[in-house]
Amino acid sequence: MKKVIWLVLALVVLVGCGSQTTTSKEGKFEVTTPMKLEKEEETASTTMGEIVMTMYSGENDDAAYMVNYADYPSDLVTEADAQQVFDGAISSVEGTIVSEKEITLDGHPGREVVVDTTVEDRNATLKMRCYMVESRFYRVMFIGEKGKVKDSEIDEFLDSFKLLK
């Protein structure tokens, strides 16, 4: 009987080790990835002033997973500005755009883009979703060697991004 209990506990631990949920109370989001995400911050000069970008990222042998967010001055952000922010995020990616479409998250505007690119001389796929939630910009991004990670796994990561109240 003890062997069965230990076996069940071991299976629960092994199955649970396949993914990690990162919850950011200050960022007001959660996301699930195959690994623990590390947090760092960077300040950037923009036309709207100094903006602090908070980044969560992690990688394994096949891919990198990232969630970034930045707060823009609320009195300066309109829906048109959101489109400019999306355009800027997309134009910063090197490669060939394969697809691009408007999306929403809980009623907030967003954009999804898939890009064929190169990383360390390897063909790679980048899939990114950007959202503007009031004056906060979110970017959820996957990049990995082309063909190494299934589309369903990429979408599982991107779909796991949830806003917290």
Side-chain angles (χ1 to χ4, degrees):
M1 182 66 159
K2 286 183 181 180
K3 286 182 182 180
V4 171
I5 292 171
W6 283 111
L7 180 61
V8 169
L9 286 174
L11 285 172
V12 167
V13 168
L14 287 174
V15 169
C17 288
S19 62
Q20 299 265 335
T21 298
T22 298
T23 302
S24 171
K25 290 180 183 175
E26 64 278 356
K28 297 182 182 177
F29 74 87
E30 72 176 22
V31 68
T32 302
T33 56
M35 76 291 295
K36 183 177 189 241
L37 299 181
E38 300 296 324
K39 178 184 174 184
E40 59 184 283
E41 291 184 347
E42 181 178 293
T43 302
S45 295
T46 72
T47 57
M48 295 184 190
E50 295 285 310
I51 302 293
V52 176
M53 176 72 76
T54 303
M55 299 163 283
Y56 289 81
S57 62
E59 60 184 73
N60 57 25
D61 292 339
D62 298 324
Y65 300 79
M66 294 160 263
V67 177
N68 306 337
Y69 71 88
D71 292 316
Y72 287 84
S74 58
D75 58 332
L76 299 178
V77 178
T78 65
E79 191 163 323
D81 294 322
Q83 297 306 319
Q84 287 179 327
V85 173
F86 297 152
D87 290 343
I90 292 166
S91 69
S92 69
V93 176
E94 293 182 16
T96 303
I97 294 177
V98 174
S99 68
E100 182 177 354
K101 65 182 178 180
E102 290 187 13
I103 57 174
T104 61
L105 178 66
D106 298 342
H108 301 286
R111 192 139 358 126
E112 177 184 279
V113 64
V114 178
V115 177
D116 281 343
T117 188
T118 305
V119 177
E120 297 176 356
D121 295 326
R122 295 184 198 165
N123 291 332
T125 298
L126 179 143
K127 190 166 186 179
M128 173 173 66
R129 293 181 183 167
C130 301
Y131 305 99
M132 186 62 80
V133 179
E134 296 171 8
S135 61
R136 177 168 283 171
F137 170 73
Y138 291 97
R139 177 171 42 197
V140 185
M141 188 165 51
F142 165 90
I143 187 164
E145 189 171 349
K146 198 170 188 79
K148 288 272 188 159
V149 179
K150 295 177 188 169
D151 288 344
S152 60
E153 293 176 58
I154 299 168
D155 288 337
E156 184 178 335
F157 159 64
L158 295 170
D159 292 342
S160 76
F161 180 79
K162 305 287 185 238
L163 298 174
L164 303 177
K165 304 288 180 201

